[in-house]
Amino acid sequence: MAGQQHDLVVYPDAEALTRGAAERIVELARDAVDARGRFTIALSGGNTPRALYRLLATPSFAPRIDWERVEVFFSDERCVPVDDDRSNLRMATDALLAHVPIPAEQVHRIHGEEEDPEDAADDYEEDLADVFDLEPPGDEPGSDTPRFDLILLGLGENGHTASLFPHTGAVFEDVRWVAAYNVQEAGMWRVTMTPVVLNAALNVVFLVTGREKAPVLRPVLHGEYDPDPLPAQIVRPIDGNLTWMVDEVAAAALP
C-alpha cells in the first residue's frame, strides 16, 4: 500500500491463520494488562473471526487471557435484533463471550436494534467516551480519540472493511467516532466505527481468508491509493501497527 508501512503474514491455510491470530491476541492482551492494567479490543464480524473466537474460548487459550481486565467493543454492527443470525454481537457471544469469564458490563455492544440507527451511533460514542475517559467528539477534527490496544478487521470482496462500504461518506469521516448510514449495497442500516477511531489504534489486524479475497487483496495492498472504491485502504494507523494476516489462497495474486 503506497505510503503505508504494514506487516504481511501469509499462513498455509485458514486454520494456521486462526491459531496465529489467537496467539497474537494473547500476547497483546498480556502486554496491555502489564502496561496499562487492561486490554481494549474491538471485534469484527464474519466467518474468519468466528473461527478465531471459538479457538479463544477453548482451554488452550481462554485461561491465558485475564478476562476480568478486558473491555470488548465492536467495530461495526448490522441494525438487526440481537437474536438475528446476522448480528455481530450474537456471533461473538455464541462463539466466545458466553464461554469466558468476562464481566457483562465490559462487553460494550452497539444497539443496532434501536428505531433510529443514528441514536445508536450517538450512544456508542458516549460509551466509548466513558470507557476511555474522554469527551465525545465535537464539530471539528482534532479532539482526543479512543486508542484501542487492538482492532480486528476483515476485508469484503468489494473492498469494504467494518461497515465502511465503497462510495459512502463514512469512509472519509474525520470527526465522528461512530457513524450510522443506510448501506444500499447491503440492503440495511449499519453502525460503524469510523477511520478516526480505526487509525488511532495501537494495533490493527486484518484477517483475510479464502480464494475469493485474492482479486481484491492485491489492489488494496499494492494498487493506487483510492479508498473511495477500496475503503480498506483508509485504514492507515497514525502511530500504530498495521498487520495483514492472510492465508495462501487469499494471497495468491500478490506479487
Side-chain angles (χ1 to χ4, degrees):
M1 192 184 303
Q4 172 64 48
Q5 292 185 344
H6 63 270
D7 294 325
L8 173 66
V9 187
V10 180
Y11 294 87
D13 52 39
E15 182 178 351
L17 182 151
T18 298
R19 184 162 292 274
E23 291 288 354
R24 180 72 179 276
I25 290 173
V26 167
E27 176 186 5
L28 290 175
R30 182 190 63 236
D31 291 349
V33 170
D34 288 346
R36 293 174 292 282
R38 68 177 184 179
F39 176 55
T40 55
I41 181 173
L43 303 180
S44 64
N47 290 326
T48 302
R50 179 186 285 111
L52 169 60
Y53 302 157
R54 286 174 174 164
L55 182 59
L56 287 172
T58 64
S60 298
F61 284 92
R64 298 167 61 191
I65 294 176
D66 187 352
W67 293 100
E68 291 190 356
R69 295 178 180 270
V70 176
E71 300 277 352
V72 169
F73 284 80
F74 291 83
S75 61
D76 72 315
E77 184 58 278
R78 299 169 176 89
C79 291
V80 296
V82 293
D83 59 352
D84 192 291
D85 288 340
R86 297 167 293 178
S87 165
N88 288 341
L89 171 70
R90 176 176 177 176
M91 184 274 282
T93 299
D94 290 349
L96 172 63
L97 299 175
H99 309 287
V100 295
I102 183 170
E105 66 271 17
Q106 290 167 211
V107 176
H108 307 275
R109 74 178 186 90
I110 298 170
H111 291 262
E113 76 281 7
E114 288 190 13
E115 184 174 349
D116 187 345
E118 293 182 355
D119 287 343
D122 292 342
D123 291 345
Y124 214 50
E125 285 187 332
E126 293 285 350
D127 204 359
L128 283 162
D130 287 344
V131 172
F132 286 89
D133 194 23
L134 299 171
E135 290 295 323
D139 297 326
E140 299 292 335
S143 62
D144 290 335
T145 305
R147 187 159 169 79
F148 278 87
D149 294 305
L150 173 62
I151 296 178
L152 295 173
L153 293 174
L155 177 67
E157 293 176 48
N158 62 353
H160 87 269
T161 192
S163 283
L164 302 175
F165 278 75
H167 312 297
T168 58
V171 176
F172 299 100
E173 176 61 48
D174 63 357
V175 176
R176 294 291 303 270
W177 299 344
V178 184
Y181 67 107
N182 192 342
V183 182
Q184 293 185 354
E185 182 176 347
M188 67 172 63
W189 279 79
R190 300 280 189 109
V191 178
T192 185
M193 288 183 178
T194 71
V196 177
V197 174
L198 303 182
N199 289 331
L202 282 165
N203 297 276
V204 177
V205 173
F206 276 88
L207 306 173
V208 186
T209 61
R211 66 181 68 256
E212 70 277 6
K213 302 297 177 65
V216 71
L217 184 61
R218 178 171 180 137
V220 166
L221 292 182
H222 297 286
E224 180 181 353
Y225 179 70
D226 188 1
D228 190 35
L230 294 172
Q233 288 187 335
I234 203 72
V235 181
R236 303 157 71 93
I238 298 166
D239 186 24
N241 304 305
L242 175 60
T243 303
W244 288 79
M245 294 185 172
V246 307
D247 65 2
E248 282 190 356
V249 292
L254 297 180

